[in-house]
Amino acid sequence: MLSQGLRRTAALLTSRALGRRQLSARIVDESYVEVQPAARGSGSAAALTFPAVWLRDNCRCPSCFHSSSQSRQLDWNHFDPNVRPLALHMDNDKQQLHVRWSDEHESSYALDWLQHRSFDGRSQSKYLDEFYRPRTKHWAGAEFERIAQRFNYDQVMSEDEPLQQWLQALAVYGVALLNGAPPDKAVVRHLAERVGFIRRTTYGEEFIVQAKPGAKNYAYLSLPLPLHTDLPYYEYKPSVNILHCLVQTQSPGGSNLLVDAFHIADRLRREHPDDFERLARTLVDWNDIGSEDGHEFHNIWRAPVICLDAAGEYTRINHSVPQRDSHFNVPLEQVLPWYRSYARFVQLARDDAYSFKTQPGDVLTFNNIRLLHGRTGYDDTEQNSRYIVGAYLDWDIVYSRLRVLKKRLTSNSTATTSTSSSSSSPSPSPSI
Ligand code: OGA
Ligand code: ZN
Ligand code: ZN
């Protein structure tokens, strides 16, 4: 809403068709269009204010918008950022706003379409938290059994709703488990392809985690595998880890360890702010050197342990003892304090780690750029050799799938219940 003080320059237009929602709109300060969805029942709907330049930029006519590619094709070489609305007209029957512009163009906008793009802060937060990316909920190790949701593999593979619930849980908590998967090495591929497609890395598409002689990766030993994120040495890290247990060790070890490193970062930020700052600012060299299938590789990526965006929200966590380079390209005086801060982070994480043991048929899926994972040491025997198949997905692919599912499931449910959307706080819908 604009402040009362703004000059109102054009007359209020009101449609008077009976039996319909009464719409009205006005031009405010030459630069804004205020749409008033008429009151429904006894409640009054809040006015929606749109910047005129944004409306012009988002004209839906065929010369400005290419509908089959759902893309803007407006000619931005001749776009006037000072474009003004000259006149408004409300079509109450079609529930549309029409605008005549100072650049001699005319545009129409459906009320529903406008409502879903409201600039109101609450609507925008709802869209960002529910549709763009679900808001994360951070958890302590002791809360694992409460937050870890379990889904049936066959249902996830065959029905949209369990698929959506699995991906939603993964996005919010960073971890979710599937059970009942067949003893088939292709399970991780089938799951990844149910979502989108596998993310290939130096170690291939599917990778087998088992104790191997002459292991090329520290994970391919039966030693304890300390908490870590996979591939911190990639700029474009695979971000979702899928680990399918085909054979679990009968020896006492082989348990999974999981920690929500966003929760550990929350604690550091609160309890040890200097350590937090240091871990968020110091670039660490992460590396991996070796060869796979006859191809040599030397991966390096420099990034802090705690990566933040401009708003101070976590974007990713990097942590690996084996995969931290001996090159450490920071000023000499930063080294000692960084080691102390990092040791504190590692200790907090270790103390918080939740331990459990997947069984054959379980598929553990988790956010590789948020959770730390590890494994306790184990002993293979001739008859029992632990066998895990892994693969990765990228968050881009997961979020995209989740949005498509949400649109599909929302449109199915609105088709069956035929309820109209609320004017002040619309939920994500196919018109998005
Ligand atoms: C890995 C890994 C976990 C396990 O291969 O990077 O974390 O349970 N494996 O073996
Ligand atoms: Zn147009
Ligand atoms: Zn790992």
Side-chain angles (χ1 to χ4, degrees):
M1 279 276 275
L2 294 174
S3 75
Q4 293 276 319
L6 284 174
R7 194 160 46 95
R8 280 146 198 222
T9 56
L12 182 73
L13 300 168
T14 307
S15 170
R16 300 203 178 281
L18 288 171
R20 286 252 176 202
R21 285 198 260 164
Q22 297 289 301
L23 288 170
S24 63
R26 63 185 158 199
I27 300 167
V28 178
D29 203 28
E30 297 188 348
S31 304
Y32 295 88
V33 173
E34 191 184 272
V35 174
Q36 177 68 60
R40 287 192 299 137
S42 55
S44 66
L48 304 165
T49 304
F50 298 99
V53 65
W54 172 86
L55 281 168
R56 179 66 190 87
D57 181 39
N58 288 288
C59 175
R60 310 313 266 180
C61 84
S63 64
C64 297
F65 189 73
H66 187 256
S67 71
S68 66
S69 68
Q70 293 279 296
S71 301
R72 182 180 293 106
Q73 66 175 7
L74 178 82
D75 180 4
W76 252 80
N77 292 324
H78 299 102
F79 186 72
D80 174 10
N82 299 310
V83 67
R84 281 175 299 107
L86 299 182
L88 308 180
H89 165 71
M90 299 303 314
D91 185 330
N92 214 64
D93 288 336
K94 293 189 181 150
Q95 296 276 293
Q96 275 185 345
L97 165 72
H98 299 282
V99 184
R100 190 155 60 75
W101 297 102
S102 57
D103 64 359
E104 299 182 349
H105 198 70
E106 290 197 21
S107 310
S108 301
Y109 308 88
L111 178 63
D112 272 3
W113 185 93
L114 288 170
Q115 284 174 326
H116 281 108
R117 286 153 185 79
S118 167
F119 282 80
D120 168 72
R122 282 223 326 251
S123 298
Q124 291 188 338
S125 297
K126 191 169 157 66
Y127 173 83
L128 295 175
D129 291 346
E130 292 180 12
F131 192 69
Y132 168 57
R133 292 181 172 202
R135 178 161 281 279
T136 55
K137 292 184 183 156
H138 308 172
W139 46 271
E143 297 172 284
F144 183 86
E145 287 304 332
R146 184 178 63 74
I147 63 90
Q149 295 178 36
R150 291 169 167 83
F151 302 90
N152 176 269
Y153 174 79
D154 288 330
Q155 282 180 353
V156 164
M157 289 303 293
S158 58
E159 295 168 41
D160 279 355
E161 223 167 298
L163 175 63
Q164 187 204 331
Q165 287 165 356
W166 164 46
L167 299 179
Q168 178 78 13
L170 191 56
V172 172
Y173 296 106
V175 60
L177 289 126
L178 308 178
N179 44 36
D184 177 351
K185 288 182 203 167
V187 157
V188 293
R189 172 172 295 279
H190 294 325
L191 261 183
E193 289 176 355
R194 174 86 173 115
V195 179
F197 46 87
I198 281 194
R199 166 64 193 276
R200 185 175 173 173
T201 74
T202 304
Y203 294 98
E205 297 198 334
E206 298 100 328
F207 51 90
I208 314 291
V209 186
Q210 67 179 154
K212 302 173 195 172
K216 297 267 174 50
N217 187 292
Y218 201 85
Y220 303 158
L221 302 168
S222 57
L223 291 173
L225 186 57
L227 290 168
H228 63 283
T229 55
D230 285 356
L231 300 110
Y233 44 81
Y234 270 14
E235 178 173 5
Y236 308 108
K237 277 171 255 301
S239 36
V240 174
N241 222 318
I242 305 176
L243 292 176
H244 175 205
C245 175
L246 280 101
V247 180
Q248 185 53 279
T249 180
Q250 286 155 14
S251 73
S255 293
N256 300 93
L257 301 169
L258 283 181
V259 178
D260 183 1
F262 285 2
H263 167 74
I264 303 301
D266 288 340
R267 284 194 54 192
L268 269 186
R269 198 176 222 165
R270 253 190 339 261
E271 297 165 23
H272 307 282
D274 292 347
D275 294 323
F276 179 88
E277 282 298 309
R278 220 167 271 129
L279 295 181
R281 284 176 200 281
T282 311
L283 292 178
V284 178
D285 300 54
W286 309 97
N287 81 334
D288 191 29
I289 305 169
S291 68
E292 185 81 6
D293 296 334
H295 296 287
E296 278 190 274
F297 56 81
H298 192 146
N299 294 306
I300 310 175
W301 173 241
R302 299 183 68 224
V305 173
I306 300 168
C307 300
L308 302 172
D309 66 14
E313 305 263 359
Y314 312 128
T315 55
R316 62 201 62 217
I317 301 286
N318 293 298
H319 170 50
S320 169
V321 172
Q323 254 67 70
R324 184 161 44 77
D325 208 335
S326 46
H327 289 268
F328 192 10
N329 293 292
V330 297
L332 193 59
E333 66 278 10
Q334 290 182 14
V335 175
L336 270 61
W338 181 84
Y339 268 91
R340 280 188 217 107
S341 299
Y342 191 43
R344 196 188 294 276
F345 170 84
V346 172
Q347 190 189 334
L348 284 177
R350 200 179 48 227
D351 291 349
D352 196 52
Y354 183 75
S355 166
F356 63 104
K357 198 161 170 175
T358 51
Q359 295 303 321
D362 291 347
V363 186
L364 171 62
T365 64
F366 57 91
N367 183 345
N368 181 51
I369 55 175
R370 165 176 172 183
L371 266 58
L372 310 180
H373 65 285
R375 174 196 71 214
T376 60
Y378 62 95
D379 293 310
D380 278 346
T381 62
E382 294 253 315
Q383 297 76 35
N384 167 238
S385 130
R386 189 176 185 271
Y387 195 98
I388 310 281
V389 182
Y392 300 108
L393 275 167
D394 280 332
W395 271 117
D396 287 324
I397 309 304
V398 178
Y399 285 133
S400 162
R401 185 70 154 124
L402 196 47
R403 292 182 199 119
V404 170
L405 287 165
K406 283 183 179 176
K407 286 196 292 187
R408 188 184 301 161
L409 292 167
T410 310
S411 77
N412 287 350
S413 74
T414 45
T416 47
T417 58
S418 72
T419 51
S420 60
S421 62
S422 139
S423 59
S424 58
S425 187
S427 48
S429 87
S431 69
I432 282 169

